Amino acid sequence: MKIALFGIANIKLGKHNLKDSRFDQVDKLVEADKKTYAQVDVIGNDQLLEADAILASVETKADLILNDLEFVETRLGRDPQPAERAALERIKSLLENEQFVFNSGLNPEDLQAVAAHSFIRINPLPSLRLARNRIPKS
């Protein structure tokens, strides 16, 4: 799984073990020969479109939305087909209201009209987590 960090600088990029105290307790009960933690690949914000999830601070939410809004405005300036234009106009109004595309409730036809485009947060799982607490140092 790839997790992109957006606007968070104090976590090193690369492979990280997901340590969980519940896993440690199970290991003590079972006494397995080998214990291997699950791993995630932490990537930078330059690879947002490749990420399975994005970790961002609450303060950078607007920046994520702005990235998609700039793309929509650029695409609208290139005179798209009518179905795509209608979908992009709906998406633009959502983004201007500080909503992400993935929880917009767009109908399947609208999503199909813009399927070729890579919005940062169009897929819902596991999507975006806004970090409200202090980010741990690694």
Side-chain angles (χ1 to χ4, degrees), residues 123-134:
N123 12 345
L125 80 150
S127 288
L128 175 71
R129 300 289 178 239
L130 295 177
R132 297 185 187 281
N133 299 326
R134 181 175 52 108

Side-chain angles (χ1 to χ4, degrees), residues 25-128:
Q25 291 172 348
V26 169
D27 182 56
K28 287 179 186 175
L29 292 172
V30 175
E31 298 178 8
D33 293 338
K34 185 176 179 183
K35 176 170 75 170
T36 305
Y37 290 101
Q39 286 190 340
V40 295
D41 193 13
V42 177
I43 57 179
N45 63 1
D46 57 331
Q47 298 173 309
L48 284 174
L49 297 176
E50 300 168 19
D52 298 310
I54 295 175
L55 179 66
S57 66
V58 174
E59 294 82 24
T60 59
K61 175 185 175 186
D63 294 331
L64 273 172
I65 292 172
L66 185 61
N67 284 347
D68 279 343
L69 185 58
E70 287 174 353
F71 174 80
V72 168
E73 289 175 344
T74 300
R75 187 67 193 132
L76 284 169
R78 294 186 178 154
D79 197 29
Q81 298 294 320
E84 182 184 356
R85 175 173 288 286
L88 288 171
E89 291 290 348
R90 287 187 194 95
I91 290 170
K92 182 179 177 184
S93 69
L94 290 167
L95 294 170
E96 288 174 341
N97 289 319
E98 296 185 6
Q99 293 181 352
F100 290 104
V101 177
F102 74 85
N103 61 355
S104 63
L106 289 174
N107 62 42
E109 293 81 23
D110 287 341
L111 292 174
Q112 183 62 36
V114 296
H117 304 306
S118 297
F119 291 99
I120 291 175
R121 287 293 82 201
I122 200 164
N123 12 345
L125 80 150
S127 288
L128 175 71

Side-chain angles (χ1 to χ4, degrees), residues 13-30:
L13 303 181
K15 299 248 185 240
H16 289 268
N17 289 331
L18 292 178
K19 296 187 179 179
D20 187 344
S21 61
R22 298 171 297 177
F23 182 65
D24 293 334
Q25 291 172 348
V26 169
D27 182 56
K28 287 179 186 175
L29 292 172
V30 175

